[in-house]
Amino acid sequence: MNAIAQLKKDVTPDGPDYDTVRRVIELITEDYRDQPSLEAIADRLGQSPTQLQKTFTRWAGLSPKAFLQAVTLDHAKRLLREEDLPLLETSFEVGLSGPSRLHDLFVTHEAMSPGEWKAKGGGLVIRYGFHISPFGLALIMVTDRGLAGLAFSDSGDEKACLEDMTCRWPNAQYVEDLQATTPYAARIFEPSKWSSQQPLRVVLIGTDFQVRVWESLLKIPMGRAVTYSDIAKDIGQPTAMRAVGAAVGRNPVSFVVPCHRALGKNGDLTGYHWGLTRKRAMLGWEAGRA
DNA sequence: CACGGCAAAACGC
DNA sequence: GCGTTTTGCCGTG
């Protein structure tokens, strides 16, 4: 069975495994300071350690212990220090040829023109659909030019999630169209399908400032992280780190535009629009594959 | 004008 | 040395 099929089987949003994994992640991310043991975690969930270990590892690609380490402050700090591999200085194109990028998701992007942005999505047809993903339900939105939106929701919150996205481009026409979004879902969350030959096409719809911030995020390789001030510097406005934070927070293409790789200066994960737990989960997931 | 997915500086223990 | 609070930051709606 391939990995996606495996995921579909195991990580159904309402399935017991999904719930287990979700609770483990929550537990670990809340208590990571105490470094809880596998036994302690299993105990609190009322499961056997071995069973829990197996379920979790299959989902996350790494054991609960490794995940715990990945979520620790130390690890986040290490991600920041993990130069001299240049961080934002490396252009995305240069990265394409590097073997270290083998496991990264390749993306080409284009920005909407200011005029199109002012239209708030007017004249745009956006097709959307919900798909299961390692991080809960993923709401995928595409235009004929490529991926325009990616959001996350827990089972039952789909409506709020959809609304969160549609109000960003209120004049667009929305059509539920699983057929259009399924291919994206299959590729985005399956690293073996990431290829530089066929980059994922992304359209960035936002203000000029926001688009510059998001482009900067796209340059961060997988398994690495930068601070908000790094990004501010990269776009040539070193004192605008706070505005950068706000712009990062409005990133409409979560995960693909890796806003989860932006950390506070001391390595703290600050907030996250779709939940801090999910941010940690993404970093952990990447740590298992980097 | 207020509000952030911020960050130094300033406190207080 | 620490965790917490205060005080500039700067684009957006």
Side-chain angles (χ1 to χ4, degrees):
Chain A
M1 192 181 330
N2 68 34
I4 276 289
Q6 184 80 46
L7 269 180
K8 285 202 166 129
K9 179 170 171 290
D10 297 332
V11 193
T12 307
D14 297 315
D17 281 359
Y18 178 84
D19 198 50
T20 298
V21 167
R22 185 178 58 75
R23 288 173 65 196
V24 170
I25 290 173
E26 273 174 14
L27 220 149
I28 287 181
T29 55
E30 276 163 25
D31 296 349
Y32 69 92
R33 274 167 262 262
D34 304 334
Q35 299 282 308
S37 67
L38 176 63
E39 287 73 21
I41 296 166
D43 201 43
R44 283 177 60 178
L45 295 192
Q47 298 201 18
S48 84
T50 44
Q51 179 61 37
L52 185 63
Q53 160 109 339
K54 204 172 154 214
T55 304
F56 189 88
T57 304
R58 191 173 51 217
W59 173 84
L62 72 180
S63 67
K65 182 179 170 65
F67 184 85
L68 174 60
Q69 283 166 352
V71 147
T72 300
L73 199 56
D74 282 352
H75 179 261
K77 286 180 182 163
R78 207 173 324 126
L79 288 182
L80 290 175
R81 275 189 262 109
E82 202 75 52
E83 32 43 55
D84 309 303
L85 305 165
L87 286 169
L88 295 169
E89 289 74 16
T90 327
S91 83
F92 177 69
E93 287 72 20
V94 169
L96 281 175
S97 55
S100 64
R101 305 273 303 187
L102 205 62
H103 292 285
D104 212 342
L105 175 61
F106 295 93
V107 170
T108 59
H109 65 274
E110 61 178 285
M112 290 255 143
S113 71
E116 286 170 313
W117 162 244
K118 281 206 209 91
K120 303 245 179 214
L124 213 56
V125 178
I126 296 181
R127 303 175 186 282
Y128 70 90
F130 284 93
H131 299 267
I132 49 178
S133 86
F135 313 111
L137 280 177
L139 169 60
I140 294 180
M141 296 185 146
V142 301
T143 71
D144 52 4
R145 284 202 259 169
L147 181 68
L150 175 52
F152 292 97
S153 139
D154 287 319
S155 175
D157 297 336
E158 293 92 334
K159 193 163 165 250
C161 180
L162 184 60
E163 199 164 320
D164 185 314
M165 294 304 287
T166 54
C167 70
R168 300 179 189 218
W169 314 298
N171 297 333
Q173 182 191 339
Y174 293 93
V175 185
E176 183 163 23
D177 185 350
L178 275 289
Q179 205 155 1
T181 53
T182 297
Y184 284 90
R187 277 186 59 191
I188 291 170
F189 301 109
E190 180 42 60
S192 68
K193 292 208 170 59
W194 295 354
S195 144
S196 57
Q197 308 305 314
Q198 294 180 297
L200 185 71
R201 292 176 45 186
V202 171
V203 286
L204 301 173
I205 312 177
T207 66
D208 180 60
F209 182 80
Q210 288 169 341
V211 168
R212 269 160 47 222
V213 169
W214 300 336
E215 285 174 340
S216 192
L217 286 174
L218 279 172
K219 296 193 248 169
I220 313 170
M222 176 157 165
R224 289 246 293 295
V226 299
T227 66
Y228 295 94
S229 21
D230 287 337
I231 298 170
K233 261 180 254 157
D234 186 58
I235 63 172
Q237 298 180 52
T239 58
M241 70 279 264
R242 182 138 193 201
V244 165
V248 171
R250 299 210 68 76
N251 166 28
V253 199
S254 177
F255 185 69
V256 171
V257 175
C259 47
H260 54 284
R261 295 180 198 152
L263 308 178
K265 189 143 222 165
N266 56 9
D268 262 331
L269 281 70
T270 45
Y272 187 64
H273 190 78
W274 308 110
L276 208 50
T277 298
R278 217 174 313 260
K279 183 169 181 175
R280 289 187 190 284
M282 287 175 184
L283 288 170
W285 186 83
E286 290 192 346
R289 276 149 240 268

